[in-house]
Amino acid sequence: MKTDKEKKISISPHIEDTYAYMKKRIGLEKSYDLGYREVVILNRRLQLYYVTGLCDTSVIQEILKVIIEINDNESESNQIGEIIENRLIHQQVTHVNTMDEAVDEVLSGLIAVFIDGKDYAQIIDVRNYPGRTPEEPDTEKVIRGSRDGYTENIVENTALTRRRLRDESLRNEMLKVGERSKTDVCVTYIEDVANPNLVKYLKNLIEKIEVDGISMSDKSLEEFLMVKKWNIYPLVRYTERPDVATSHLLEGHVIIFVDTSPSAIIVPTTFFHHLQHAEEYRQVPTIGTCIRFIRFLAVLAALFLLPTWLLFAVEPSLLPDKLSFIGPNDEGNVPITVQIIIAAVGIEFLRMAAIHTPTPLSTAMGLIAAVLIGEIAIEVGLFSPEVILYIATSAIGNYVTPSYELSVANKVVTILLVVAVGLFGLPGYMIGITLYILFIIQIRSLRTPYMWPLLPFNLKAMTHIIFRMPVPYTKHRPSIVHPRNNYRRP
């Protein structure tokens, strides 16, 4: 049984019914931001509905001016619908036949024009969403390269992508999610490149979402798309850079934009996609490869440095004589495992404090943490100096990781491995790493193996992962996305 809100109500030719419906449905005269104007054109009543703040006011004024001038230039009232449509000075004018469609369009920032005696409404797209101008994302900065980035405006985001990819096969399909929020979601892909089954699968998943609203925009949408809700590793990649999104479109990926979010969702993705950064492609291939090697080393250090050092600290007999200096000279008053956990949690305290601290005060906070807390903690015997060294190195490795979501997941894995080593020593280390490897290789992102091209192994693709290949040598698209057109040359 459908509720009144779910029933499709046709537009009545009696304009009084339209006003009464709008008053009851969207709170006309109660909500100050709902705009309404009624004029008489050729002895017919005409009503305009819009949302103040989501429409361009100057365009509304110009439309009203042109419509009112019809009284001075026309006399045939039987053709009023066609006359008004021809006078609407805008490039996008469409018809809707139900009140539900009209309400959705008005609340999305468009103008609905109702004419007495007509059973349809004319919709004019004059949206002008408030928002900031495109600027370089803080999390994806480059030394050289473009400084524009996605904003919270979905129309601007698709335009930034279209500017870089002027292909007639580029498709931007708009969907709506949320019974109440009616959030715009755009599925972007290259029609003759992207796998049609992937596009269809994503659209079906989005259309089946039943929720009142996705207030957290892209993250809420991701949780509906992904099967494994509690998986700590990121199954999609986020980017705020149009050049990164365009590069993935050319590879055969699908991009999902969510209105009010400055991040684009890239699907499908693997573990190695989260280790890529635009800076590698803004340098010559040799330098880009060196940067990539250093990043891989930093990620490995973030994951395994702490549990490995702890293993040698608690079982020094495993070390060869030349490396016997590894391990704390003075363990302090607190067990080393507990020291590592406390220090790791302390760094998270600092990270969260930095987020909530105004920028002018964040530098002072860092000095207080480093000089006062760190030095005094060592002097009183809470931490040993070597614990601070390896904790700091691991933290830097996490900051080097381009994907924030991946760095957070790696922190969790590191702490679990530290606990395993602290409790069980060498067996805990071996079992912990084995379970981690088994866990990560069984992950699937939209039916895509997470560790591809390492598992299943693909030598050619793995070469492109390890080395930053020159662009003229990248003639084929990655096979993991199953592109319709595998060759990257016209």
Side-chain angles (χ1 to χ4, degrees):
M1 183 68 180
K2 289 187 176 182
T3 63
D4 291 339
K5 191 170 183 179
E6 292 174 328
K7 292 179 180 177
K8 298 295 184 181
I9 301 176
S10 300
I11 295 176
S12 171
H14 304 291
I15 205 164
E16 297 86 357
D17 297 338
T18 300
Y19 179 79
Y21 182 89
M22 287 293 195
K23 187 175 181 180
K24 178 181 178 182
R25 176 75 180 272
I26 65 175
L28 194 65
E29 296 182 358
K30 287 186 178 180
S31 299
Y32 81 94
D33 59 334
L34 296 175
Y36 161 76
R37 179 69 189 273
E38 179 174 317
V39 294
V40 178
I41 305 297
L42 300 179
N43 298 320
R44 296 280 190 94
R45 295 167 64 189
L46 182 144
Q47 295 177 349
L48 280 77
Y49 296 89
Y50 54 90
V51 176
T52 305
L54 298 183
C55 298
D56 191 329
T57 303
S58 61
V59 176
I60 297 176
Q61 294 173 348
E62 190 64 26
I63 288 173
L64 282 170
K65 178 182 177 181
V66 172
I67 289 177
I68 292 173
E69 289 178 351
I70 293 176
N71 287 325
D72 301 326
N73 303 319
E74 301 288 346
S75 59
E76 186 57 57
S77 61
N78 292 332
Q79 303 295 325
I80 185 172
E82 291 78 4
I83 292 173
I84 290 177
E85 183 172 356
N86 289 333
R87 294 298 182 91
L88 293 177
I89 53 169
H90 203 269
Q91 70 270 23
Q92 293 186 15
V93 180
T94 58
H95 286 194
V96 296
N97 298 310
T98 66
M99 292 301 300
D100 297 272
E101 293 175 295
V103 167
D104 288 349
E105 299 291 11
V106 169
L107 296 179
S108 297
L110 290 78
I111 297 178
V113 180
F114 296 88
I115 305 171
D116 193 18
K118 301 296 181 180
D119 60 354
Y120 62 84
Q122 295 174 347
I123 304 298
I124 315 168
D125 191 346
V126 293
R127 282 177 287 191
N128 185 27
Y129 294 156
R132 58 189 174 92
T133 58
E135 56 189 19
E136 185 177 19
D138 289 334
T139 57
E140 297 179 89
K141 291 184 177 180
V142 294
I143 303 301
R144 297 188 182 276
S146 60
R147 304 298 177 185
D148 57 346
Y150 289 134
T151 67
E152 290 75 16
N153 190 329
I154 193 171
V155 178
E156 286 186 356
N157 292 345
T158 54
L160 287 170
T161 307
R162 177 75 72 172
R163 180 184 179 188
R164 288 169 168 79
L165 194 57
R166 304 171 186 179
D167 184 15
E168 64 274 11
S169 298
L170 181 64
R171 300 290 179 261
N172 292 310
E173 297 192 30
M174 194 71 78
L175 306 171
K176 287 188 182 295
V177 175
E179 179 63 28
R180 295 185 183 276
S181 68
K182 297 179 175 63
T183 306
D184 290 325
V185 175
C186 180
V187 179
T188 300
Y189 60 96
I190 303 178
E191 191 170 36
D192 57 356
V193 174
N195 183 354
N197 294 327
L198 173 62
V199 176
K200 183 179 179 181
Y201 178 68
L202 285 171
K203 289 169 60 179
N204 288 338
L205 287 178
I206 295 173
E207 290 171 350
K208 289 179 181 178
I209 295 176
E210 295 183 358
V211 67
D212 54 354
I214 49 174
S215 56
M216 293 294 107
S217 58
D218 51 359
K219 190 60 183 177
S220 299
L221 182 70
E222 177 201 339
E223 293 179 5
F224 277 103
L225 297 181
M226 296 300 114
V227 176
K228 297 185 177 181
K229 315 295 184 187
W230 298 97
N231 181 51
I232 63 173
Y233 273 90
L235 302 180
V236 302
R237 181 184 177 185
Y238 292 96
T239 183
E240 296 183 38
R241 295 189 62 91
D243 50 359
V244 173
T246 304
S247 176
H248 282 80
L249 285 172
L250 291 170
E251 289 181 354
H253 295 263
V254 177
I255 308 296
I256 302 175
F257 296 101
V258 182
D259 194 26
T260 73
S261 172
S263 300
I265 300 175
I266 302 173
V267 290
T269 54
T270 66
F271 180 86
F272 297 101
H273 281 114
H274 295 279
L275 301 180
Q276 296 176 352
H277 192 274
E279 180 65 25
E280 300 165 6
Y281 295 91
R282 294 292 181 178
Q283 304 291 340
V284 296
T286 305
I287 301 300
T289 300
C290 292
I291 293 173
R292 187 170 291 185
F293 282 167
I294 294 172
R295 180 171 294 114
F296 288 165
L297 182 62
V299 173
L300 289 174
L303 263 173
F304 302 118
L305 179 63
L306 282 176
T308 303
W309 175 79
L310 177 61
L311 175 66
F312 293 146
V314 297
E315 297 191 20
S317 60
L318 297 175
L319 283 170
D321 293 337
K322 293 183 179 180
L323 297 179
S324 59
F325 63 89
I326 293 178
N329 297 323
D330 182 11
E331 294 187 5
N333 302 321
V334 180
I336 299 178
T337 303
V338 178
Q339 289 184 37
I340 293 175
I341 294 175
I342 293 175
V345 173
I347 289 179
E348 286 303 297
F349 285 169
L350 293 176
R351 182 187 64 81
M352 289 187 283
I355 294 175
H356 303 307
T357 303
T359 303
L361 302 178
S362 60
T363 302
M365 185 198 68
L367 291 174
I368 292 172
V371 177
L372 297 182
I373 299 178
E375 289 294 331
I376 294 175
I378 293 174
E379 290 180 4
V380 300
L382 180 61
F383 296 138
S384 68
E386 205 165 348
V387 168
I388 299 296
L389 169 65
Y390 289 106
I391 279 286
T393 305
S394 179
I396 292 173
N398 279 316
Y399 293 142
V400 171
T401 307
S403 169
Y404 172 73
E405 292 79 10
L406 180 63
S407 68
V408 173
N410 287 342
K411 290 177 187 177
V412 175
V413 172
T414 300
I415 294 299
L416 293 177
L417 290 175
V418 166
V419 172
V421 173
L423 292 177
F424 306 107
L426 181 59
Y429 182 83
M430 300 302 297
I431 294 174
I433 290 183
T434 301
L435 291 177
Y436 168 69
I437 294 174
L438 293 176
F439 166 74
I440 202 169
I441 63 175
Q442 58 83 36
I443 297 176
R444 295 289 185 274
S445 171
L446 293 176
R447 305 171 181 174
T448 301
Y450 198 57
M451 291 305 294
W452 183 91
L454 183 60
L455 292 171
F457 186 71
N458 184 317
L459 178 60
K460 186 175 182 180
M462 197 65 201
T463 303
H464 285 260
I465 291 294
I466 297 175
F467 302 97
R468 205 291 257 175
M469 305 298 290
V471 175
Y473 295 166
T474 55
K475 298 180 180 181
H476 295 87
R477 296 184 172 90
S479 60
I480 195 64
V481 296
H482 305 290
R484 299 179 67 177
N485 180 3
N486 187 49
Y487 195 60
R488 297 194 62 169
R489 296 293 185 268

